[in-house]
Amino acid sequence: MIENAAACIILQARQSKHYVTFTDKEFEFVSSHPALSANEKLIWFNLVRKSLRDPNLSCAITHQQIAMMIGIKQDTAYRAVKRLKQFGFLQAQFDAELQITTYAITLPDEGLEAITNAPNRGFGKKSDTPPDKNPAPPGKKSGTPPDKNPILLINNNINNKHNIHNQPQAQQAIVNDADALVCEFESLQKEFQNFSLAERVRRINGHFTAEQMHIIHARINAKQKCIEIEENQRNEKPAISAQPLEKSKLIDFEFEGLQFLIEEKVKDKIIHVIPLLHQRKKIKGDAANKTLSSIMKEVLFYVTKAGSLTDKPVIQLKRYHIACKILQKGQWECPRGIVREEGAKREALWQTSKKREMAGSLGMAEGK
């Protein structure tokens, strides 16, 4: 429970000053505060109304419920509550077990000073007797203030659900049964669905204690989380495991003295489409100046690089489409692998020719 030091001052002012739900000075101070927006003021007034039953002027409520209470978006309500806390109009405490936030009504120092210095009841005439140090919660809206310690009459024979707070055993039974509370909460929502939002919330809250509302919201949040987890699990696509590919899906294809391990349908697309692009001058950039055989060889090398290993998924068709787009955009570059491979071949040919020359020169020397 939040220890709200401002609660005693506010309650005392409500007992000795003009008030209905809050004092005139409270209304005047909050409604004319220059730093608060209209939504923030409306949220504060509604939270005051919801917190009247609690001695610390606190209530447990979610951002979604606050947004529904005044008809705004949830992110707007979140920002408004954040600013109310920033300017000293609210205190917040998060219950990790119940997964709900409790907000306590407070005022900044100048607001507390304003309601404290306001005249007592009697149209500005101060009362001869000082206000009680421990005032009781507000009673009637008009007339004399309620007694300091009013006697609570309990009728143990009443079984009406509206008097459930006067029956400790029944209250304990309901508190322990969260599902029953949620069912009653939902049935009341259906029963009062024709009322306005504010009236519906007021009537529903009148049936439950703060502790019961804690349990109801916690249970609803838990159910919602379970539903979201199940939906996410259903929507998640099963991961595709990398299954070894059958060698029959890949064929050996020789082009310009190079061997390529490629899918037959991809090979057919390259053989038919690349020449058409070259013929219609769709190939742009540096690749447009190359011969068709050079472009074909480079595309085949680029495509088969991803699918040459049979123990990994082959994505040669995707690489083929990427190659076509790059060629038409004029951003095609010769794959580095083919450059290295051609360099290695030239080096091997050079080494072979040198060895032959050396062998020939040695043979001639021996013949002499």
Side-chain angles (χ1 to χ4, degrees):
M1 185 69 69
I2 299 176
E3 294 183 1
N4 187 5
C8 182
I9 299 175
I10 296 173
L11 290 174
Q12 183 174 344
R14 290 178 183 173
Q15 293 300 314
S16 57
K17 312 294 192 297
H18 297 288
Y19 79 95
V20 179
T21 302
F22 29 68
T23 65
D24 294 341
K25 280 296 180 182
E26 283 178 79
F27 182 83
E28 180 182 343
F29 178 79
V30 176
S31 60
S32 62
H33 199 281
L36 299 183
S37 66
N39 284 336
E40 292 159 3
K41 295 172 184 177
L42 190 57
I43 287 174
W44 191 86
F45 288 134
N46 278 273
L47 292 179
V48 168
R49 178 180 54 80
K50 290 182 66 67
S51 64
L52 290 177
R53 294 176 177 269
D54 187 77
N56 279 312
L57 295 181
S58 64
C59 63
I61 192 170
T62 63
H63 288 117
Q64 183 179 5
Q65 291 172 326
I66 293 174
M68 293 175 60
M69 191 164 54
I70 66 170
I72 59 176
K73 294 182 179 180
Q74 186 172 345
D75 56 345
T76 306
Y78 171 79
R79 290 193 297 270
V81 170
K82 185 177 179 179
R83 282 177 52 82
L84 285 170
K85 291 188 291 183
Q86 177 183 351
F87 288 108
F89 288 86
L90 286 179
Q91 294 178 7
Q93 179 175 303
F94 181 71
D95 192 326
E97 182 179 356
L98 297 176
Q99 293 294 311
I100 197 168
T101 303
T102 300
Y103 295 99
I105 302 299
T106 184
L107 287 173
D109 294 340
E110 58 269 24
L112 296 176
E113 183 179 357
I115 65 175
T116 304
N117 296 332
N120 292 338
R121 291 186 177 189
F123 301 96
K125 182 180 178 181
K126 294 186 178 180
S127 175
D128 296 333
T129 58
D132 299 329
K133 293 183 179 180
N134 299 313
K140 298 179 180 179
K141 294 183 179 179
S142 62
T144 59
D147 298 333
K148 291 177 69 174
N149 296 311
I151 300 174
L152 178 62
L153 298 177
I154 301 176
N155 186 354
N156 293 327
N157 296 323
I158 297 177
N159 295 321
N160 194 329
K161 66 178 180 179
H162 298 284
N163 296 285
I164 196 68
H165 308 303
N166 293 336
Q167 304 176 36
Q169 294 180 354
Q171 180 181 353
Q172 186 64 32
I174 292 179
V175 167
N176 292 335
D177 192 353
D179 291 328
L181 284 172
V182 173
C183 289
E184 185 178 1
F185 179 80
E186 292 175 350
S187 63
L188 288 174
Q189 283 186 322
K190 294 180 180 179
E191 182 180 347
F192 301 135
Q193 62 183 352
N194 294 328
F195 291 90
S196 64
L197 178 61
E199 181 64 17
R200 184 164 68 248
V201 172
R202 187 187 68 78
R203 286 173 178 263
I204 292 175
N205 290 344
H207 285 73
F208 303 102
T209 63
E211 184 180 3
Q212 289 174 332
M213 290 302 295
H214 272 288
I215 296 172
I216 289 171
H217 293 314
R219 186 62 175 169
I220 291 174
N221 291 338
K223 285 184 176 180
Q224 186 63 31
K225 286 184 178 179
C226 291
I227 293 172
E228 291 177 358
I229 292 172
E230 291 178 358
E231 289 180 353
N232 291 336
Q233 290 176 350
R234 286 197 298 267
N235 294 334
E236 285 180 358
K237 295 181 179 180
I240 301 175
S241 58
Q243 298 291 338
L245 299 174
E246 299 179 2
K247 291 185 178 181
S248 58
K249 292 185 178 180
L250 300 174
I251 62 172
D252 289 324
F253 177 66
E254 184 179 356
F255 185 83
E256 293 288 329
L258 295 178
Q259 293 289 334
F260 300 103
L261 195 63
I262 189 170
E263 291 181 86
E264 188 170 3
K265 61 179 181 180
V266 178
K267 179 206 72 172
D268 295 337
K269 284 181 176 292
I270 293 173
I271 291 175
H272 290 88
V273 175
I274 299 300
L276 287 175
L277 293 176
H278 188 270
Q279 181 182 355
R280 295 173 183 177
K281 297 183 179 180
K282 297 288 187 180
I283 299 175
K284 306 296 181 181
D286 296 337
N289 300 323
K290 297 181 180 180
T291 62
L292 177 60
S293 60
S294 298
I295 297 174
M296 295 273 291
K297 181 172 62 174
E298 292 176 7
V299 171
L300 285 167
F301 188 91
Y302 174 78
V303 168
T304 56
K305 183 179 179 181
S308 58
L309 300 178
T310 57
D311 58 341
K312 293 183 179 180
V314 176
I315 53 173
Q316 294 182 348
L317 184 61
K318 181 178 179 181
R319 280 188 166 254
Y320 157 72
H321 289 298
I322 293 173
C324 289
K325 289 182 179 179
I326 296 175
L327 284 169
Q328 295 179 69
K329 287 182 178 180
Q331 299 174 353
W332 178 262
E333 295 181 1
C334 182
R336 295 180 181 178
I338 200 169
V339 174
R340 289 194 297 266
E341 188 172 333
E342 289 180 349
K345 283 186 176 182
R346 286 194 299 268
E347 180 68 20
L349 290 173
W350 184 81
Q351 293 288 348
T352 304
S353 63
K354 284 294 181 183
K355 288 179 182 179
R356 288 176 181 174
E357 289 179 5
M358 292 177 64
S361 61
L362 288 174
M364 292 176 62
E366 290 177 357
K368 291 180 180 180

